[in-house]
Structures are given as C-alpha cells and as structure tokens.
Amino acid sequence: MKKTLWLFLTLALVLSLALTGCSSNKESGSSSSDGGGDKGGGMLIYGRGGDSTSLDPAMTTEGESFIVTEQIYENLVQYGEDNTEIEPSLAKEWEISQDGLTYTFKLNEGIKFHDGSDFNADAVVKNFQRWAKSKDEAKFAYYASMFGGFEGDEGHVIKEVKAADANTVVFTLARPQAPFLKNLAMSPFAIASPKEFEKGGDALKKNPVGTGPFKFKSYKANDTIVVVKNDNYWRKGLPKLDGVTFKVIKDNSARLNAVIKGEIDLMDGLNPSDISKVKENSKLQLFERPSMNVGYFGFNVEKEPFNKKEVRQAISHLINKEDIITNFFEGTAEPAKNPMPPSVGGYNDEVQDYEYNVEKAKELLKKAGLEKGFKMDLWAMPVPRPYMPNGQKVAEAIQASLKQVNIEANIVTFEWGTYLEKVQAGEAPTFMLGWTGDNGDADNFLYTLLDKDTIGSNNYSRYSNEQVHKLLVEAQTVSDEDKRNELYKQAQVIIHEDAPWVPLVHSKPQLAGSSAIEGFVPHPTGSQSFINTSLK
C-alpha cells in the first residue's frame, strides 16, 4: 500500500495557492496588521471562552490549546479541510508493509522550524523518543492513550522509530494498529523543534516552536495569545492572514456582543438562543461545526457509591436529556446513548437508552441499599465547550433531577486547567466533561476514553472491563472495517450496561463571525488551522 503525490498535481496546487495567497491585501475593520509579509491580510481576532492550558500540544488534551497549536505546528500527515481523510503534510508520501507493521515516510525537504533549525527525520525521531521514553501519562496523556502506553509497556504499539536517512523515517509497530495514520495526524503528535524542547523545563509550553504557517509572538495569561505570519513558510502563498489573536472572553453573550461591535472577528461557543441574532444581522455570518462529539456526565467508578453499577444506572434513569436539549441547546443537539457519536463508523444504534424513569431509579437505589438517598459532589465545567455551551446550567438541571430521589448534589468547580488536572487525577466523584473526536475513528472514543490502558490519562471514569479491553485491542489490530465495526458495537453494549457515564448529547457547535471572513471551514475535530482564512 503506497501513498504518492503526483508531481503535476502538486505543482498545480502550489501555483493555485500562491496566486490565491497573493491576491489577499485586505485588513479587518476591527484589527490592525501586526507582523506578516509584503501583502497585508489583516489580523483575525478569535474570541473564546477559556485560556489554553499548554502551548505544547503533546502536554494537553483540551481544545482551547489545540486551536492555537494548530497554527504553529504541523504533523507528518494531516486531515482534509472538512473531514478526517488522511493527506500529506510534513511527509509527502509513505508506504505500509503488507503485515501492517512498518510505515516508511518520505519527508518534504528544505523545511525549517521557526527557530531556523532543520526539519528532518532525526527531528521526528527525537519527538517520538521524547514522548515514548517519558513514562509520564499525566504529562503525555494522549501518547499513552493512542499508542498503548510508553516504551517498555506491554501494550505499547510503537516498537521503534528510526531515521533511515535525512529525509526518511521508519516506524516499526509491535502489532498492527488500524487507525495509526489517523492517530499521527492528531494535534498532540505535531512535530516540535528539538532545539527548543531539549532545553528542558517544559520549554514548549510557553515558547512553542514548530514549522507551521504562523509563529508564536506573545502570551498574556487569561487574556490573549498572538501568532503572526511565518514569512518563511514552506507552502508558498500561505497563510493569507498576517496573524491571529486569540482573545479570552469568558461569557458567551459578551463574546457575541464583541463580534457585533467589531471588537473581534470570530467566536466559538455561540449560545443556541442567540442564533437568530446572527442570522438577522447582515454584518455577521453563522458557522456550524460538523458534529463529532459527545458531552457526558461521568462517574469515578472507584469511589463509593459510584462503584456500584446500580447507582450509576439509577442516575442514568434520572437525567432528562430531552429537557436539557430543549432548555440549553435549542435544537442544536441530539440525545446521546453511546459514548461515541452516530457520525463515526461502528456506532451501535441498537443500544436502547436508559429512559427517563424516576420509579426505575428508586428501584435500583433500593437494590444498592441507598433508597434513602445520599450526598455527593457534582463537578461542573467552568468554561463553555462545543459539546456543552453552558455547563453550569446543565449541572443545575442534573442537580434538580437528583433531588427527586433524595440525592443532594453539591456543585463544585475550579479554574479550567485545575479542573482537568483534578479530574484526570481521579479526585472528582462525578464530573461533567465531553470529547470532540480527534481522528474520526471509534478507537479515539472507546479505547481513548474507556479502556483500562488509559486510566490515568484520558479515562477519567477509571473504568476497567477486561472483556471491553479485549474487544478494543482486537479492533485496533484488524484491518477489515466491517469486523472492526462489529467489535466496537459489542463493546458499546457492555459499556452501556456498566454505565460509567451518562452520555448526554451530541451537539452541533455554532460559531459566529464577521461577514468579512472568507475561507474559514470549521473542522469536525474543532482544531483546524486558519491557513486558508482571510479577511476581505
């Protein structure tokens, strides 16, 4: 199996992009040009609800970081503009051995990191060695989740990464992994400058250095991050903008007002109730991100009383998802019954959701010896996310539902970075979170979030089921998609019965922006580059 770029098509594409890029010479009415090349494309100001927790993509799991790092870094391979099909990026072509154990990548030549050092096969090897040798699942959670642990671990997928020559890197796997290429395209596995991270002390968290279309300029915590055009970018004619400023405006309505006033150009986390305001304003435009997410209410299955399946099932019967969607999503979501969305292959539509049934909940609590109820902490997200525009309000709705069976829920929250750290460490008895798919594969939901291998990284419920584990590992190793999908469907049946989560919604995230924005295509993963975006 071989992926090859045809020379003629490549030259045509480069010429087309160069002509397109050179034609943009407009500035946003709300922003001034800052940095960039000869032709000013303006500074796009992007409003968001929370700050980034890290500018080293390998050391975070959340979208507020990835939306920034996608501008600065690049991967060996990338997704399509509006899908998760694999395309060349830093690697121009690759070959996969018949047994699925060897991947040989030919790299584009002449690419420089932002610090002037060379991108080559040795740089790729050093990045993967940095992650694999770390043995730190709290630090590099995604690496552990997607590749079965670290070097020396029994489940570790990557046996060896070596440079065959300056422009050829070879990955040897311990076992086949069907979504391997899709995993490599994920934001956490972007290639950073070894010159920078070899300084130690988590240098990339505050001074990110990649090969991407934009270079890091400045960071003011809980306020702004500024990236500016990379004048030496290897894809000629790109990017079209002079730069992007990421601006934190915590309140959704306040962000929309900033767009209306022209103070920012684009915002995420639009309140569903404000959609009509955008549609009615000729100076604005509405964007809808393709749905590839799940918002959920999770249990720490190691903590009492949530270590009892009956308690988890009882609460599953108490949450009225239709009411939550009506009150807080206004038609921009659908109820979830599985921990993965219907848009992903392997979804099991035959699973029957826990119906909203208070009496059934009471029966299950009695079976668990808790018919009189109990007190608990309910952790709620402090920031709006695509799968949960208003986590605090949804938490209050769940709190009210639990009162019907004498469960007293105390709502707890923290600053976003602290919230994630504490939930990952297993401190939360129950919590609200969600997940936007990184690569369009069921493995990225079920294995990443609910396999025993990922406890301590992305399995915040600390759920472990040996039968589920066997199904998910087998699904990674077979190449037949029908077989993989059947294995994932079986796993969903078991997970549904064990109820480590209450899957709540699959949302259709809404964004609002100035009518001056062109070329912005919301990506299903939520972390697209602004490489082709411009301001007219």
Side-chain angles (χ1 to χ4, degrees), residues 339-340 442-451 472 488 492 495:
M340 56 183 279
D443 178 79
N444 183 240
F445 285 88
L446 302 184
Y447 179 82
T448 302
L449 303 177
L450 290 165
D451 188 80
L472 297 182
Y488 288 129
Q492 286 165 79
I495 293 168

Side-chain angles (χ1 to χ4, degrees), residues 60 76 92 113 124 218 226 258 304 326 338 363 369 414 421 435 460 516 531:
T60 185
L76 289 176
K92 59 185 177 181
F113 288 105
V124 176
S218 63
V226 180
E304 294 183 350
T326 299
N338 290 317
E363 291 176 14
F414 300 89
E421 289 174 5
W435 189 260
Y460 297 154
I531 189 171

